[in-house]
């Protein structure tokens, strides 16, 4: 590979360009009219305007992106996260155009994108899945029959959903009959696919994911876990590794299960296996994400690996020159996502960034996509920077992160930094005992209910 087109924007485009340069590979940026002044556009070796600001006309515009690749002579495409990263049809179009898609094969993306198929593949391979129905539900009456077998509460999910979209908790037959029709209608409208399934609802769980890497020579490695339980409305707020919740034995077992999950689908590339872990530390496969994730720097900071380099090595058909025993957590790392939003209402706060001064301190990594003078527009994700602090202990990493956030100066837009500081200061966070209900529980406590 000599030239790679980065089919993304903002901080992740910049992050990918950094490793491309280190590898001596030329980077092509594609950008919308709204992004012409963004750092990733200037840092690429070449940049191609692909359309107006709305994503369907630019960053999701497959024809324009493929035309940019052809026009610049790129031989590879890195999709980043979000946007086209888990679009099997796009991966296939890249291949047809003679471009190396930096990710797994299109059929693997499609299989993992369909949650019922993913569940069946894992169940047959002996990877634990949440107790639930087999295959899809024909109608509301079948849903009720299965729910009675599973036992309420159950979670009704859309097979084409994922990431929290198209799922709801149901407590009894009557609610399920009601929920089934409306949920199916929404799934049809949202995804063009109304396949539904049921799982036992796991109360107060932890959300733990395992990083994996698999080459084209049969080697599959896990690269430890990330604890991602601190979320708000299915948007992750903070991620850390190692998980303060896992003991060494459970860690070994969940990481091994992730390797088996990758093997079961014939995975190649860097990917993430998401698990839900209950209070007794029993874990279940939830989903597999076939892309580089937002929170990948947490893994990089504790292991010293460059996950984008691993993606490139695998895409170049090179064997992974790593043994499982060599992959160790040398430190503790915690990441938070800085978003252009009102810290009280969580509503987006677009506008021009007047001043922008990220702190520069040792063991604090900042992956950002903006600079002073940049306009944060409502067209795209409001995340503008990630701050990743590490230390020999969790306490040191947390203290460094807190200091870094206090020293992070941004004016012109509102950011969620005050909210992130409250999270870091919360006794439940400090104790490391939080679950996916952490943000919701804090809010309840504040309102005295
Ligand atoms: C669940 C669950 C409990 N039981 N499935 C959310 C994201 C997606 N990847 C799967 N998710 C969940 N699936 C079963 N059977 C809990 C979650 C979940 C969650 C649910 C409600 C509120 C916040 C949550 C945060 C993480 C995971």
């Amino acid at each position: 590979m000599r030239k790679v087109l980065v089919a993304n924007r903002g901080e992740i485009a910049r992050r990918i360009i950094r490793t491309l340069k280190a590898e001596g590979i030329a980077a092509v940026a594609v950008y919308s009219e709204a992004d012409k002044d963004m750092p990733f556009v200037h840092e690429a070796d070449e940049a191609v305007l692909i359309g107006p600001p709305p994503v369907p006309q630019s960053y999701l515009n497959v024809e324009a992106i493929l035309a940019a690749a052809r026009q610049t002579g790129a031989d590879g495409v890195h999709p980043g996260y979000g946007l086209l990263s888990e679009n099997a049809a796009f991966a296939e179009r890249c291949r047809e155009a003679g471009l190396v898609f930096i990710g797994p094969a299109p059929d693997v993306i499609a299989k993992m994108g369909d949650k019922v198929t993913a569940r069946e593949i894992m169940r047959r391979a002996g990877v634990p899945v949440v107790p639930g129905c087999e295959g899809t539900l024909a109608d509301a009456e079948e849903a009720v029959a299965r729910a009675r077998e599973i036992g309420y509460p159950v979670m009704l999910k859309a097979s084409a959903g994922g990431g929290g979209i198209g799922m709801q908790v149901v407590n009894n037959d009557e609610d399920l009959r009601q929920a089934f029709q409306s949920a199916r209608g929404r799934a049809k409208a949202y995804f063009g696919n109304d396949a539904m399934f049921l799982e036992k609802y796991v109360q107060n769980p932890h959300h733990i994911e395992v990083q994996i890497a698999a080459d084209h020579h049969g080697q599959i490695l896990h690269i430890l876990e990330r604890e991602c339980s601190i979320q708000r409305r299915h948007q992750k707020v903070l991620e850390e590794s190692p998980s303060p919740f896992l003991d060494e034995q459970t860690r070994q077992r969940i990481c091994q299960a992730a390797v088996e999950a990758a093997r079961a689908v014939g995975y190649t590339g860097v990917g993430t296996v998401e698990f839900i872990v209950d209070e007794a530390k029993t874990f279940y496969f939830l989903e597999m994400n076939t892309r580089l994730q937002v929170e990948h720097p947490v893994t990089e900071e504790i292991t010293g690996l460059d996950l984008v380099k691993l993606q490139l090595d695998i895409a170049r058909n090179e064997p992974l020159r790593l043994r499982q025993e060599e992959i160790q957590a040398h430190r503790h790392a915690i990441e938070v996502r800085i978003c252009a939003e009102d810290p009280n209402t969580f509503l987006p706060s677009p506008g021009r960034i007047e001043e922008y001064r990220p702190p520069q301190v040792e063991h604090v990594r900042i992956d950002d996509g903006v600079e002073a003078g940049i306009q944060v527009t409502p067209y795209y994700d409001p995340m503008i920077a990630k701050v990743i602090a590490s230390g020999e202990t969790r306490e040191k990493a947390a203290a460094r992160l807190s200091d870094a956030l206090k020293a992070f100066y941004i004016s012109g837009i509102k950011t969620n930094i005050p909210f992130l500081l409250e999270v870091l200061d919360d006794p439940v966070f400090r104790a490391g005992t939080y679950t996916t209900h952490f943000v919701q529980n804090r809010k309840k406590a504040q309102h005295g209910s």
Side-chain angles (χ1 to χ4, degrees):
M1 258 187 310
R2 298 193 1 249
K3 193 185 272 193
V4 167
L5 181 145
V6 182
N8 215 297
R9 62 178 300 283
E11 70 87 16
I12 196 62
R14 213 176 182 192
R15 160 73 191 90
I16 294 161
I17 291 167
R18 179 153 30 95
T19 293
L20 288 173
K21 286 191 171 176
E23 292 289 295
I25 299 172
V28 180
V30 290
Y31 65 99
S32 75
E33 283 160 13
D35 281 345
K36 64 178 175 28
D37 298 322
M38 291 279 276
F40 77 92
V41 176
H42 301 129
E43 288 168 15
D45 297 290
E46 292 170 75
V48 182
L49 176 67
I50 49 167
V55 279
Q57 294 166 63
S58 52
Y59 298 103
L60 293 178
N61 184 343
V62 172
E63 303 309 326
I65 292 167
L66 292 176
R70 202 177 322 119
Q71 175 193 323
T72 55
D75 44 19
V77 173
H78 196 308
Y81 54 68
L83 301 172
L84 293 167
S85 62
E86 293 178 290
N87 185 317
F90 177 63
E92 183 62 38
R93 288 292 306 277
C94 286
R95 207 172 62 171
E96 285 165 6
L99 298 160
V100 175
F101 177 80
I102 300 169
D107 70 298
V108 172
I109 299 175
K111 283 175 187 156
M112 294 299 101
D114 185 280
K115 306 308 165 192
V116 167
T117 303
R119 227 174 108 76
E120 289 307 303
I121 290 172
M122 297 312 158
R123 199 174 52 76
R124 287 189 198 131
V127 176
V129 297
V130 188
C133 63
E134 277 182 33
T136 58
L137 299 163
D139 52 34
E141 285 321 301
E142 191 192 353
V144 168
R146 295 290 88 78
R148 286 180 180 174
E149 290 163 11
I150 299 162
Y152 288 103
V154 295
M155 211 164 189
L156 180 62
K157 299 186 174 186
S159 186
I165 309 165
M167 55 179 64
Q168 70 190 90
V169 183
V170 185
N171 287 300
N172 54 55
D173 291 357
E174 194 189 337
D175 290 356
L176 181 53
R177 282 193 188 92
Q178 280 266 316
F180 189 84
Q181 298 309 340
S182 61
R184 169 164 267 186
R186 277 196 305 276
K188 184 85 196 161
Y190 260 66
F191 314 115
N193 173 352
D194 67 359
M196 305 297 295
F197 68 108
L198 276 179
E199 284 178 355
K200 177 85 188 163
Y201 177 57
V202 181
Q203 316 250 3
N204 218 17
H206 285 253
H207 192 153
I208 295 177
E209 57 189 33
V210 179
Q211 182 69 58
I212 61 102
D215 65 20
H216 292 282
H217 304 269
Q219 193 177 19
I220 309 174
L221 298 168
H222 73 75
I223 317 178
L224 301 167
E225 85 283 6
R226 292 183 290 260
E227 167 74 63
C228 301
S229 296
I230 302 191
Q231 319 201 355
R232 189 184 167 276
R233 300 197 173 168
H234 301 295
Q235 294 292 321
K236 291 170 186 156
V237 169
L238 176 150
E239 307 95 3
E240 66 178 311
S241 187
S243 165
F245 180 63
L246 290 189
D247 55 78
E248 201 46 45
Q249 193 198 351
T250 312
R251 172 172 297 113
Q252 289 294 330
R253 288 173 46 229
I254 202 170
C255 289
Q256 195 52 45
V259 169
E260 296 313 324
R263 195 187 322 279
V265 300
Y267 200 87
T268 52
V270 161
T272 298
V273 186
E274 252 183 61
F275 293 92
I276 198 161
V277 188
D278 70 14
E279 281 158 323
K281 296 197 171 74
T282 306
F283 59 83
Y284 307 97
F285 170 88
L286 264 192
E287 297 178 10
M288 181 165 191
N289 301 318
T290 58
R291 58 169 193 275
L292 182 71
Q293 293 203 237
V294 174
E295 58 273 24
H296 77 279
V298 167
T299 300
E300 295 186 326
E301 292 308 293
I302 66 163
T303 60
L305 293 169
D306 177 336
L307 295 183
V308 176
K309 179 175 179 337
L310 292 185
Q311 289 188 300
L312 296 173
D313 290 344
I314 294 165
R316 289 184 286 219
N317 261 319
E318 290 171 25
L320 288 165
R321 285 180 210 85
L322 266 173
R323 284 178 297 120
Q324 188 64 68
E325 312 81 73
E326 291 176 294
I327 300 171
Q328 300 280 342
H330 304 292
R331 310 171 63 72
H332 192 101
I334 310 175
E335 170 181 284
V336 290
R337 304 178 180 197
I338 298 184
C339 298
E341 65 186 24
D342 186 307
N344 297 310
T345 62
F346 297 98
L347 292 171
S349 171
R352 184 178 183 269
I353 299 179
E354 299 296 339
E355 293 157 290
Y356 184 78
R357 288 197 298 276
Q360 291 180 306
V361 275
E362 218 192 344
H363 302 308
V364 175
R365 164 175 168 180
I366 296 176
D367 280 21
D368 56 7
V370 298
E371 59 195 13
I374 287 295
Q375 196 81 33
V376 179
T377 72
Y379 297 107
Y380 314 116
D381 191 282
M383 189 183 74
I384 54 170
K386 305 185 297 207
V387 185
I388 309 99
S390 66
E392 306 86 82
T393 64
R394 182 171 188 265
E395 291 68 32
K396 281 189 185 164
R400 267 197 192 112
L401 184 51
S402 194
D403 289 347
L405 289 175
K406 286 172 191 156
F408 205 133
Y409 189 73
I410 305 174
S411 71
I413 54 163
K414 289 179 187 165
T415 77
N416 63 339
I417 289 175
F419 169 67
L420 297 172
L421 284 168
E422 282 177 35
V423 169
L424 289 168
D425 206 33
D426 190 295
V428 177
F429 171 75
R430 298 237 157 191
T433 55
Y434 59 83
T435 70
T436 49
H437 298 314
F438 174 81
V439 175
Q440 210 183 320
N441 290 347
R442 280 189 78 250
K443 200 166 72 185
K444 273 190 224 151
Q446 280 169 351
H447 291 59
S449 60

